Amino acid sequence: MELESKIYIAGHRGMVGSAILRNLRNKGYTNFLLKTSHELDLRDQKSVNDLFKEYQPEYVFLAAAKVGGIIANNSYRAEFLYDNLMMESNIINSAHQSKVKKLLFLGSSCIYPKFAAQPLKEESLLSDYLEQTNEPYAIAKIAGIKLTEAYRDQYDCNFISAMPTNLYGTGDNYHPQNSHVIPGMIHKFYKAIQENKSEVELWERKSNANSCILTT
Ligand SMILES: NC(=O)c1ccc[n+]([C@@H]2O[C@H](COP(=O)([O-])OP(=O)(O)OC[C@H]3O[C@@H](n4cnc5c(N)ncnc54)[C@H](OP(=O)(O)O)[C@@H]3O)[C@@H](O)[C@H]2O)c1
């Protein structure tokens, strides 16, 4: 990529997308195409086609997705499948049609079977059943990986997929039900410290009061 290349980061306000944007800005890249979900619903095929036709991005980071932890995955099964299939299909096909030079799709470690040998190996993909609670999300992610593969095979597109595992960082989601495991744990540790702290303060106040009673 040249410093002035036109780069589209889909999902630039999310945890991963905003980290990619920060990193590229720090490296001197300046020519970004950025749209929030309010400005452009990536599930809408025509809007996505129009965006690519109008702006002709050269490089695409596909970091937009419906994302969440196990509870969210299991509660919104239809949305996790439909939204992710639509977003990735629309972007990957439009990127092909507008001759994007390179596209990065982000998968997830949940694409691997529930009982895959550890440490995970790429060959384990599609070798057994998935974890049931996040199966719709995982199937959408596998479809995205297969889309990049198929577009590479059939059209010689330079489209690739990377499989980040449990990520955490700036701009993460700490919601008690909808977050991923690491931010969820950070939230619980933080809450526990806060609660213990107030218990300690209460205990200190009580023992101070007692010592006052004793000394007076
Ligand atoms: N977080 C992890 O631990 C983890 C692990 C493995 C893989 N990944 C992958 O990394 C990618 C990004 O994850 P993340 O954690 O950064 O997620 P995130 O913080 O929830 O961000 C998701 C982004 O997607 C955008 N988006 C969602 N629905 C949209 C729609 N209908 N139209 C347009 N944009 C939409 C949102 O845009 P707005 O902000 O504008 O609403 C948001 O910026 C995903 O593909 C995910 O599978 C994440």
Side-chain angles (χ1 to χ4, degrees):
M1 286 193 307
E2 308 297 323
L3 290 181
E4 62 282 359
S5 298
K6 193 177 284 180
I7 302 168
Y8 173 38
I9 304 176
H12 71 284
R13 291 199 304 180
M15 185 186 70
V16 176
S18 62
I20 293 171
L21 180 58
R22 267 196 309 280
N23 185 289
L24 292 175
R25 276 192 171 137
N26 287 342
K27 288 185 171 139
Y29 294 92
T30 52
N31 193 0
F32 294 104
L33 169 59
L34 307 169
K35 295 278 176 196
T36 68
S37 58
H38 298 295
E39 293 165 329
L40 171 74
D41 186 345
L42 292 166
R43 295 170 299 183
D44 184 76
Q45 189 179 41
K46 183 173 179 324
S47 305
V48 177
N49 271 333
D50 290 348
L51 179 92
F52 276 80
K53 269 191 207 142
E54 185 179 350
Y55 293 99
Q56 300 280 321
E58 295 169 81
Y59 296 91
V60 174
F61 291 86
L62 208 178
K66 182 157 184 73
V67 171
I70 291 292
I71 295 179
N73 266 271
N74 203 22
S75 309
Y76 311 112
R77 297 175 72 82
E79 283 176 51
F80 271 79
L81 185 53
Y82 177 82
D83 288 14
N84 286 315
L85 282 174
M86 294 304 286
M87 283 189 249
E88 66 204 24
S89 302
N90 291 340
I91 292 182
I92 290 170
N93 191 53
S94 295
H96 156 59
Q97 285 178 344
S98 67
K99 300 190 171 34
V100 160
K101 290 181 184 160
K102 187 159 189 168
L103 173 146
L104 173 67
F105 172 73
L106 294 174
S108 166
S109 50
C110 71
I111 58 165
Y112 293 105
K114 181 173 182 170
F115 298 114
Q118 299 290 331
L120 289 168
K121 289 209 162 39
E122 286 183 22
E123 306 83 82
S124 298
L125 189 66
L126 294 174
S127 63
D128 206 343
Y129 292 106
L130 296 163
E131 158 61 31
Q132 218 273 334
T133 49
N134 59 17
E135 191 188 68
Y137 175 71
I139 286 181
K141 285 287 165 191
I142 293 170
I145 293 159
K146 291 295 168 190
L147 272 172
T148 59
E149 250 178 55
Y151 277 72
R152 235 178 20 243
D153 291 344
Q154 186 174 343
Y155 304 118
D156 205 23
C157 297
N158 191 1
F159 294 175
I160 58 166
S161 300
M163 264 12 82
T165 54
N166 281 308
L167 303 173
Y168 64 97
T170 309
D172 215 335
N173 166 17
Y174 297 94
H175 189 275
Q177 251 99 53
N178 294 337
S179 60
H180 283 105
V181 62
I182 296 178
M185 282 164 68
I186 291 173
H187 175 81
K188 284 183 182 163
F189 295 153
Y190 177 75
K191 231 177 113 204
I193 289 168
Q194 294 300 99
E195 281 165 9
N196 279 343
K197 198 173 159 201
S198 44
E199 266 176 38
V200 169
E201 278 166 2
L202 203 66
W203 181 81
E204 277 173 354
R205 254 184 271 139
K206 265 191 206 156
S207 53
N208 280 344
N210 284 344
S211 63
C212 288
I213 292 164
L214 287 174
T215 51
T216 50

